[in-house]
Amino acid sequence: MTIRAKRFTPEVLLSAPRRSAGLPNLDASKVLYTTSTYNFEKHEGTSEVRVLDVEAQETSLVTGAKGSSEPQWLDDKTILLLHEQKDGTTHVKVGPADNFSNNGYVAGSIQGPVGNLKLVPIGDNTYGVAVTGKAQPNGDLFNPEKASKPRTTGRLYTSLFVRHWDHYVTENRNAIFLGTLYRENNKFKLSKLVNALKNSGLESPIDPFGGSDNFDISIHGLVFTAKDPALNPATHTKTNIYLSASKNFWLDIVNGLPQFFEVPIYNFAGASSSPVWDNEGKSIAFLSMKTDGYESDKNQLFIIPDYVSPGWVQHMFPGSTGKGDWDRSPQSITWGDKTLYLTAEKEGRMSLFAVETNALQDGINSKSPTLVVNGGSINSVKVLESGALFLSSSTLIDNSLYSLIPSDYKTKTLQGKDAYNLPESDVPVNSKPGELFATYVSSNSRSGSSFGLSRRQVDEIRWPGATPNVDVHAWVVKPSSFDPDKKYPLAYLIHGGPQGAWTDSWSTRWNPAIFAEQGYVVVCPNPTGSTGYGQDFVDAIAGQWGGLPYEDLVNGFEYIQDNLSYVDTQRAVALGASYGGYAVNWIQGHDLGRKFKALVTHDGVFSMTSQLASEELYFPFHDLGGPLWSNASSWAEWDPSRFLDNWATPHLIIHSELDYRLTMNEGLSAFNVLQTKGVPSQFLTFPDENHWVLKPENSLMWHEVVLDWINSNVGLPKYTENKDENDVENAN
């Protein structure tokens, strides 16, 4: 039994099963994954580990036990997963995929909460194991359930990074723990784990978002990225690549890890990321940025051909200036047998590119990566033994899609929709035949139909940007009941970052289809500063926060007004979060603000000087051309609070108390001004949310308040007064 929505509502969005990236077995006949669901009637969430039988298109439950996560294949029939206990400890459980609940057993117990599980076969039915968790100053794993409670709530700091994202920084730091999983008496057992970073002064994964992409293991060692310990993380983005390796690495760790080696990356002083071993455990690939203090600099590809000589580092596609011949910024790396696969944004999509490994030997003379897949947004790439690729992705109308690219994809020359071998609704918008040859494996939402959505709702437009000869790209999402002869109010959604982008991907926080199904035509522009359109376009926003991007948005509004006959720009609303919230505050103080019936700012900037309360000071220091005391004119030039005289459009302000990136005062200040000036306004806050609203019940309230606000200002029924209890029906 599945759930089919008659209408895509916030309840449908937030209660729909959220499926993880798929983990295929050797031939992708079975796919292991986790799924989580929230029930608004019971007010509780559930999570499950499941296996998809691809041929039968049926799924079976591995376990629904609370606390089970991160399943991994040990072989085609056996899986391993983590199971967190009530006392904070973690059981490592092993069992058959088809009868795990009855025949699963505990292979070992870890004395605290851990995650980011990685396995590597090292021979003789033995695996190297890596997990991450918080380590105490003495190197032991921290268990918050067993920790003694402090007698005082005071905290004393003597350097920057007092707090980060949504928590105060404590003495406990992220660390990587290593061990082995071996067979004994026909069962697997977990060895004692060793803190690989003990006494190193290093932290990995990097707080707050670092995960399994911050480190990797092979038969020969550990590679990871960590903040440069000599630099303050609040004012610097520099991270280094560290390597600990030896011929008998997993035997050596019993007596202590081989010494760390800091990989030299000459003339690159920015953030290094995504270190990945090849399949033989010989070579390592990673990404690095050139500029310290700039978190959105272009990632460039580096290769260590042989771990035995880690000082030999090849810079791929450097160009004559070192800025890089390839004008993409890769986000992930996957090694194949003869090919290196990279994901990177390309004009509103997270696409897949390939580099032949024989080209890597040519170093600076190697060709730039070639495009393999240009559609949707890929979030995981797995290479099968056959050389085929298993992809996990999403789109604007599908929250989880699994597909296969055959190993001989380079020889495919099919034309039309047959070139994709996908359901017609999943063929990427405006893609050209030959860009993708994929075998459809599974869609969590039946290509969006479970949500009442289809690809026909999605379109793209472009208009002349503020920079000469540079166009601005935008996604357009229309109602599922769209009639081109009717007019619909405009919802203008402005993304955060500012170095970010609206991509052809699913979101449970800012989902354009939610607004479209209320009766809006939704336009999601990618103005100056957006990623995926070349690094020059990204860099151009520095020192221009309210300049070029604002002009792009003005031009976009005029283009919509003149060219989209089905859009009623007399009934328009603008919404944005983070930098998007800044942009809405800036719009409120300028001429474009008078074009809208209502505005919504979520966790946006009100006053530039308040950015000094943010944790990552390098961000405003870079984008505004230096600290306030050395470049006050730039900080003042782009300050939304300088234009409060013009604030007049009805405005909803949202700001949560655990947002330490943009502090609560930003939202309160904006609301206080609106109320004092007599501008119709509302203020929504959550004491237990950070820069994002993540808890399902809070998120539902967020959607209800936002939709009621904009609907009432453009003449649509309030969402909370127009709910249909029969919006969701059961379907086989």
Side-chain angles (χ1 to χ4, degrees):
M1 189 73 71
T2 60
I3 298 297
R4 178 176 298 153
K6 292 181 180 178
R7 187 168 66 117
F8 187 52
T9 64
E11 287 87 346
V12 172
L13 169 70
L14 300 171
S15 62
R18 304 185 189 186
R19 189 170 69 170
S20 69
L23 189 63
N25 61 356
L26 293 177
D27 62 358
S29 60
K30 297 185 186 302
V31 181
L32 190 61
Y33 64 94
T34 62
T35 184
S36 61
T37 308
Y38 191 82
N39 188 309
F40 281 101
E41 292 182 356
K42 296 180 179 179
H43 304 289
E44 64 181 16
T46 58
S47 62
E48 297 176 339
V49 178
R50 303 190 70 89
V51 171
L52 169 68
D53 184 310
V54 174
E55 183 176 0
Q57 284 292 295
E58 295 178 349
T59 71
S60 58
L61 179 67
V62 174
T63 178
K66 188 176 181 179
S68 295
S69 65
E70 306 205 28
Q72 301 276 340
W73 292 105
L74 289 177
D75 56 45
D76 267 12
K77 297 180 180 179
T78 311
I79 66 171
L80 174 148
L81 54 78
L82 302 179
H83 188 197
E84 186 173 346
Q85 306 297 296
K86 291 182 179 180
D87 65 356
T89 60
T90 303
H91 285 171
V92 176
K93 300 190 71 174
V94 175
D98 60 358
N99 196 11
F100 191 89
S101 295
N102 292 327
N103 294 328
Y105 60 90
V106 177
S109 183
I110 303 172
Q111 295 307 303
V114 294
N116 298 313
L117 171 67
K118 287 197 172 186
L119 300 173
V120 60
I122 57 177
D124 297 327
N125 284 318
T126 303
Y127 294 82
V129 178
V131 293
T132 69
K134 289 287 185 183
Q136 302 175 71
N138 66 2
D140 293 344
L141 183 63
F142 175 66
N143 186 335
E145 299 298 325
K146 296 183 177 182
S148 59
K149 304 301 180 184
R151 296 184 180 276
T152 176
T153 58
R155 301 185 183 100
L156 178 65
Y157 295 86
T158 58
S159 66
L160 289 175
F161 251 33
V162 170
R163 56 188 189 179
H164 198 193
W165 188 249
D166 60 4
H167 61 277
Y168 279 80
V169 175
T170 69
E171 61 185 1
N172 302 311
R173 297 288 189 268
N174 291 336
I176 303 166
F177 294 83
L178 303 177
T180 57
L181 186 75
Y182 58 94
R183 275 189 95 86
E184 183 178 283
N185 298 326
N186 209 33
K187 285 190 174 182
F188 281 102
K189 287 192 174 181
L190 181 69
S191 72
K192 180 181 178 181
L193 298 184
V194 175
N195 181 348
L197 306 188
K198 185 175 181 178
N199 300 323
S200 68
L202 301 173
E203 181 178 19
S204 186
I206 299 170
D207 203 40
F209 302 120
S212 58
D213 61 332
N214 279 193
F215 70 98
D216 200 22
I217 55 175
S218 78
I219 191 172
H220 291 134
L222 166 70
V223 62
F224 64 94
T225 183
K227 287 280 190 178
D228 190 313
L231 301 174
N232 193 291
T235 52
H236 296 271
T237 57
K238 188 175 189 296
T239 63
N240 303 324
I241 299 293
Y242 296 92
L243 176 65
S244 176
S246 67
K247 184 177 181 180
N248 300 306
F249 178 81
W250 295 97
L251 293 175
D252 295 340
I253 65 170
V254 176
N255 299 314
L257 261 69
Q259 186 175 1
F260 288 132
F261 178 81
E262 181 184 331
V263 176
I265 316 170
Y266 299 108
N267 298 318
F268 273 67
S272 298
S273 61
S274 305
V276 183
W277 287 91
D278 71 356
N279 299 328
E280 297 178 2
K282 179 184 177 182
S283 301
I284 299 167
F286 64 89
L287 306 172
S288 191
M289 296 180 179
K290 197 172 184 66
T291 307
D292 184 21
Y294 186 20
E295 67 177 7
S296 297
D297 198 7
K298 183 167 68 173
N299 276 324
Q300 299 192 48
L301 178 64
F302 290 81
I303 305 289
I304 302 172
D306 194 332
Y307 78 92
V308 176
S309 303
W312 175 27
V313 181
Q314 290 182 326
H315 180 191
M316 309 309 298
F317 335 117
S320 58
T321 64
K323 293 180 65 175
D325 273 346
W326 189 41
D327 202 12
R328 297 293 108 194
S329 184
Q331 301 299 303
S332 73
I333 306 170
T334 304
W335 283 94
D337 185 28
K338 297 181 180 180
T339 309
L340 196 66
Y341 296 99
L342 308 168
T343 59
E345 282 186 52
K346 182 180 184 294
E347 299 184 350
R349 299 163 174 85
M350 185 62 76
S351 301
L352 181 67
F353 298 82
V355 183
E356 298 304 306
T357 52
N358 58 9
L360 301 180
Q361 307 304 318
D362 299 334
I364 61 173
N365 297 317
S366 59
K367 296 180 180 178
S368 295
T370 56
L371 180 66
V372 178
V373 177
N374 188 39
S377 289
I378 297 166
N379 57 62
S380 175
V381 181
K382 302 294 182 185
V383 181
L384 306 182
E385 280 194 331
S386 65
L389 306 177
F390 182 92
L391 307 181
S392 299
S393 62
S394 72
T395 70
L396 283 162
I397 57 96
D398 193 343
N399 67 349
S400 174
L401 174 67
Y402 298 158
S403 56
L404 275 173
I405 306 294
S407 57
D408 59 347
Y409 67 86
K410 298 170 196 171
T411 67
K412 302 299 180 183
T413 57
L414 300 181
Q415 298 297 310
K417 69 180 182 67
D418 293 331
Y420 304 97
N421 200 21
L422 291 171
E424 188 171 357
S425 60
D426 285 329
V427 174
V429 174
N430 291 351
S431 291
K432 299 175 182 177
E435 285 183 333
L436 168 65
F437 183 87
T439 300
Y440 173 88
V441 174
S442 169
S443 167
N444 194 41
S445 65
R446 298 184 178 182
S447 304
S449 64
S450 295
F451 300 139
L453 304 176
S454 75
R455 197 70 204 182
R456 293 186 298 274
Q457 295 176 241
V458 182
D459 203 352
E460 300 174 68
I461 56 175
R462 294 177 183 269
W463 60 77
T467 302
N469 303 315
V470 175
D471 285 346
V472 171
H473 170 249
W475 292 100
V476 179
V477 182
K478 294 170 281 190
S480 56
S481 58
F482 177 73
D483 181 344
D485 294 326
K486 294 182 179 180
K487 278 186 173 287
Y488 300 86
L490 168 68
Y492 212 28
L493 303 188
I494 307 171
H495 68 68
Q499 295 92 349
W502 289 109
T503 58
D504 185 11
S505 61
W506 190 258
S507 173
T508 54
R509 293 185 293 111
W510 284 83
N511 191 306
I514 284 290
F515 299 92
E517 293 306 275
Q518 289 295 301
Y520 294 90
V521 167
V522 184
V523 177
C524 303
N526 286 329
T528 299
S530 298
T531 51
Y533 303 88
Q535 192 61 35
D536 288 345
F537 196 68
V538 176
D539 295 344
I541 197 173
Q544 281 286 323
W545 270 33
L548 294 175
Y550 174 74
E551 294 177 42
D552 289 339
L553 295 171
V554 171
N555 292 352
F557 190 91
E558 293 174 351
Y559 176 90
I560 295 165
Q561 186 172 257
D562 295 340
N563 294 275
L564 302 187
S565 60
Y566 50 83
V567 176
D568 182 1
T569 53
Q570 296 298 312
R571 294 190 298 148
V573 294
L575 309 88
S578 195
Y579 171 80
Y582 163 90
V584 172
N585 288 347
W586 184 264
I587 286 169
Q588 172 71 285
H590 290 77
D591 291 345
L592 184 57
R594 310 291 76 79
K595 302 286 187 179
F596 295 103
K597 291 294 186 182
L599 304 171
V600 178
T601 290
H602 175 111
D603 289 15
V605 177
F606 171 78
S607 169
M608 296 307 276
T609 56
S610 296
Q611 292 303 287
L612 292 175
S614 183
E615 6 85 291
E616 294 178 344
L617 291 173
Y618 58 75
F619 189 89
F621 286 5
H622 174 273
D623 275 23
L624 297 175
L628 173 63
W629 49 91
S630 65
N631 195 8
S633 60
S634 178
W635 287 62
E637 182 177 11
W638 307 119
D639 190 333
S641 67
R642 286 202 305 124
F643 304 94
L644 299 179
D645 281 354
N646 300 327
W647 283 36
T649 300
H651 203 152
L652 168 63
I653 305 293
I654 306 169
H655 219 109
S656 296
E657 293 188 30
L658 294 183
D659 185 355
Y660 297 154
R661 179 148 300 185
L662 294 169
T663 63
M664 181 71 164
N665 285 347
E666 299 287 89
L668 283 172
S669 297
F671 180 64
N672 289 351
V673 167
L674 292 163
Q675 287 285 299
T676 304
K677 288 175 64 67
V679 178
S681 51
Q682 293 181 357
F683 180 67
L684 175 64
T685 185
F686 299 97
D688 55 346
E689 298 285 4
N690 54 36
H691 202 54
W692 304 328
V693 177
L694 301 176
K695 296 178 173 63
E697 303 280 357
N698 288 347
S699 184
L700 178 58
M701 182 183 182
W702 184 97
H703 281 89
E704 290 175 341
V705 171
V706 169
L707 295 179
D708 278 359
W709 174 256
I710 60 175
N711 287 5
S712 63
N713 277 283
V714 299
L716 291 175
K718 283 189 175 182
Y719 173 69
T720 56
E721 297 175 358
N722 194 42
K723 284 187 177 183
D724 184 351
E725 295 180 358
N726 298 313
D727 276 343
V728 177
E729 62 181 8
N730 291 329
N732 290 319

